């Protein structure tokens, strides 16, 4: 079991290393099988690659799907990215309440160095909302619980 976890982590780090070298095709070849097996970090990376068209054709719908899979597992960066897609209506229908939900969750779970900038974006989205929409977004965020893929 430990060997499988180690191999899993090693291949994820190989994908990250390829991405940092700007070898996006190699990175996508590493991330796709990991993402399909439910690895949230690989799903988040793959979402970014589809959003930006690095190593794969740019496709917001595909990006949203990968971000959602990672976001549902509690990946805060994927939650942030999915919230932005909902705010802009890219790959998903524009939905300010859903955007705010994901941005709230992302900000709450953000590493300290990212929390302030995520809070600013979340608050900017909130300025476009009615009180009822804000309340609904907060309720959705409170009711949300991470789920593991099988």
């Amino acid at each position: 079991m430990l060997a499988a976890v180690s191999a899993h982590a090693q291949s994820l780090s190989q994908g990250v290393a390829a991405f940092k070298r700007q070898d996006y095709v190699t990175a996508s070849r590493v991330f796709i099988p990991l993402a399909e097996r439910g690895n949230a970090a690989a799903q988040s990376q793959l979402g970014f690659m589809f959003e930006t068209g690095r190593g794969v054709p740019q496709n917001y719908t595909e990006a949203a799907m990968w971000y959602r899979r990672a976001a549902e597992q509690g990946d805060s960066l994927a939650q942030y990215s999915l919230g932005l897609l909902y705010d802009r209506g890219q790959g998903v229908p524009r939905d300010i309440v859903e955007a705010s939900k994901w941005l709230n969750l992302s900000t709450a779970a953000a590493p300290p160095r990212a929390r302030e900038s995520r809070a600013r974006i979340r608050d900017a989205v909130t300025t476009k909302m009615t009180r009822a929409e804000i309340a609904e977004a907060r309720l959705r965020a409170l009711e949300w619980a991470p789920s593991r893929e099988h």
Side-chain angles (χ1 to χ4, degrees):
M1 176 68 184
L2 188 57
V5 170
S6 178
H8 201 64
Q10 183 182 11
S11 53
L12 181 66
S13 65
Q14 288 170 340
V16 171
F19 188 88
K20 287 180 178 175
R21 289 192 311 270
Q22 299 182 357
D23 184 355
Y24 302 125
V25 172
T26 298
S28 70
R29 288 184 184 142
V30 172
F31 292 142
I32 289 170
L34 291 172
E36 288 172 345
R37 289 196 303 267
N39 181 294
Q43 291 167 344
S44 186
Q45 285 279 5
L46 204 49
F48 180 76
M49 293 176 77
F50 275 106
E51 182 180 2
T52 58
R54 294 182 181 162
V56 294
Q58 184 180 35
N59 183 326
Y60 290 120
T61 303
E62 193 79 8
M65 186 268 297
W66 287 115
Y67 283 147
R68 175 176 306 287
R69 286 179 65 177
E72 291 289 356
Q73 294 186 72
D75 184 292
S76 77
L77 185 55
Q79 291 169 338
Y80 177 75
S81 299
L82 184 59
L84 294 178
L85 290 183
Y86 271 110
D87 181 48
R88 297 187 302 247
Q90 292 177 313
V92 291
R94 188 167 187 276
D95 184 336
I96 198 81
V97 173
E98 198 66 9
S100 181
K101 171 188 115 176
W102 288 115
L103 292 170
N104 272 322
L105 289 166
S106 167
T107 302
R113 67 187 184 283
R115 195 167 292 129
E116 189 178 324
S117 63
R118 289 190 194 178
R120 276 197 304 276
I121 297 296
R122 177 202 60 203
D123 295 347
V125 168
T126 303
T127 65
K128 300 185 263 183
M129 301 171 69
T130 66
R131 282 194 174 130
E133 289 170 330
I134 293 167
E136 175 63 24
R138 288 182 180 157
L139 181 62
R140 287 184 195 179
L142 286 170
E143 292 174 339
W144 178 85
S147 59
R148 284 279 170 247
E149 291 191 5
H150 302 280

